[in-house]
Amino acid sequence: MVFFSWARPSSEDWKSCIDKSDSFNYEAKYRGASASPLSSLEQDKGLSKDGFFFNHKRVLVGSGVDAYEKGKTALQSWRHFGLDWAFVDPKTRTQVGEKFCVCVKEFLPWVMMPLKVVYVEEKKGKEQQPLSSFSFGSGTLQGHLLAGEERFSIELDEKNQVWYEILSFSKPADILSFVGYPYVRLRQKYFAQQSANAVLKHLNASQSPE
């Protein structure tokens, strides 16, 4: 089952999508795998053997603790999905077990794709090691066009730089995505760039005037 809507999905539309999607549509052994660095995933022969492809984007979005905290808030309020053609209900909680729906405009119809938060991780920096990070990963549910997992993270590194990162592994889960997978891959890369721009816009707008 694939969830379509000819108009921008209403709350009733995406709530119905979530209610009808109970189980994950990818292998249990890969549940939570997106928490690992890209280098580790690329060495996992099982992922490539099972047909998964990676999508990765890491962008410098600011510097300092204040920018990091604002970036974390941006993820928790789904500002990284603040796009004209893609959105998530901003009230969705970033906590393990939370189900939500990504709504994406594709040509004429909107597509609603159900997911569930698989993990949430946060690391607090120390004086001797000023490294902090916040991330969460979500897995695809039955009814999603793809099968796999995606992680969004914000990180303050040892150089006081703030990075926004998207990492996912996925493969077609429906005949539509199988036939159009080259297009799907391009859309994933386009979303990664647009999402990074949305986070940058939020951080810049949040800065106090001089």
Side-chain angles (χ1 to χ4, degrees), residues 7-8 67-68 95 184:
R8 182 182 175 90
Y68 166 75
Q95 66 180 39
V184 171

PDB file of all heavy atoms in Angstrom, residues 7-8 67-68 95 184:
ATOM      1  N   ALA A   7      -4.070  16.687  -2.801  1.00  0.00           N
ATOM      2  CA  ALA A   7      -3.851  18.001  -2.201  1.00  0.00           C
ATOM      3  C   ALA A   7      -2.828  17.855  -1.072  1.00  0.00           C
ATOM      4  O   ALA A   7      -2.478  16.735  -0.681  1.00  0.00           O
ATOM      5  CB  ALA A   7      -5.160  18.546  -1.650  1.00  0.00           C
ATOM      6  N   ARG A   8      -2.326  18.982  -0.570  1.00  0.00           N
ATOM      7  CA  ARG A   8      -1.395  18.928   0.557  1.00  0.00           C
ATOM      8  C   ARG A   8      -2.048  18.145   1.694  1.00  0.00           C
ATOM      9  O   ARG A   8      -3.156  18.492   2.129  1.00  0.00           O
ATOM     10  CB  ARG A   8      -1.054  20.343   1.021  1.00  0.00           C
ATOM     11  CG  ARG A   8      -0.039  20.392   2.164  1.00  0.00           C
ATOM     12  CD  ARG A   8       0.204  21.837   2.591  1.00  0.00           C
ATOM     13  NE  ARG A   8       1.078  21.918   3.751  1.00  0.00           N
ATOM     14  CZ  ARG A   8       2.412  22.000   3.709  1.00  0.00           C
ATOM     15  NH1 ARG A   8       3.011  22.021   2.528  1.00  0.00           N
ATOM     16  NH2 ARG A   8       3.142  22.065   4.810  1.00  0.00           N
ATOM     17  N   ALA A  67      25.144  28.091  18.631  1.00  0.00           N
ATOM     18  CA  ALA A  67      24.719  27.573  17.320  1.00  0.00           C
ATOM     19  C   ALA A  67      24.373  26.090  17.422  1.00  0.00           C
ATOM     20  O   ALA A  67      23.413  25.622  16.796  1.00  0.00           O
ATOM     21  CB  ALA A  67      25.824  27.786  16.289  1.00  0.00           C
ATOM     22  N   TYR A  68      25.142  25.360  18.225  1.00  0.00           N
ATOM     23  CA  TYR A  68      24.853  23.940  18.414  1.00  0.00           C
ATOM     24  C   TYR A  68      23.477  23.737  19.048  1.00  0.00           C
ATOM     25  O   TYR A  68      22.677  22.913  18.583  1.00  0.00           O
ATOM     26  CB  TYR A  68      25.929  23.282  19.283  1.00  0.00           C
ATOM     27  CG  TYR A  68      25.519  21.914  19.791  1.00  0.00           C
ATOM     28  CD1 TYR A  68      25.520  20.809  18.944  1.00  0.00           C
ATOM     29  CD2 TYR A  68      25.091  21.744  21.110  1.00  0.00           C
ATOM     30  CE1 TYR A  68      25.122  19.564  19.399  1.00  0.00           C
ATOM     31  CE2 TYR A  68      24.695  20.500  21.570  1.00  0.00           C
ATOM     32  CZ  TYR A  68      24.710  19.411  20.716  1.00  0.00           C
ATOM     33  OH  TYR A  68      24.291  18.180  21.167  1.00  0.00           O
ATOM     34  N   GLN A  95      11.509  10.934  19.943  1.00  0.00           N
ATOM     35  CA  GLN A  95      11.754   9.946  20.987  1.00  0.00           C
ATOM     36  C   GLN A  95      11.519   8.558  20.417  1.00  0.00           C
ATOM     37  O   GLN A  95      10.736   8.369  19.476  1.00  0.00           O
ATOM     38  CB  GLN A  95      10.861  10.196  22.192  1.00  0.00           C
ATOM     39  CG  GLN A  95       9.387  10.002  21.964  1.00  0.00           C
ATOM     40  CD  GLN A  95       8.571  10.265  23.236  1.00  0.00           C
ATOM     41  OE1 GLN A  95       8.869  11.181  24.000  1.00  0.00           O
ATOM     42  NE2 GLN A  95       7.548   9.464  23.462  1.00  0.00           N
ATOM     43  N   VAL A 184      14.686   8.638  -7.672  1.00  0.00           N
ATOM     44  CA  VAL A 184      14.601   8.669  -6.208  1.00  0.00           C
ATOM     45  C   VAL A 184      15.951   9.052  -5.609  1.00  0.00           C
ATOM     46  O   VAL A 184      16.028   9.863  -4.671  1.00  0.00           O
ATOM     47  CB  VAL A 184      14.144   7.307  -5.658  1.00  0.00           C
ATOM     48  CG1 VAL A 184      14.260   7.272  -4.127  1.00  0.00           C
ATOM     49  CG2 VAL A 184      12.710   7.019  -6.065  1.00  0.00           C
TER      50      VAL A 184
END
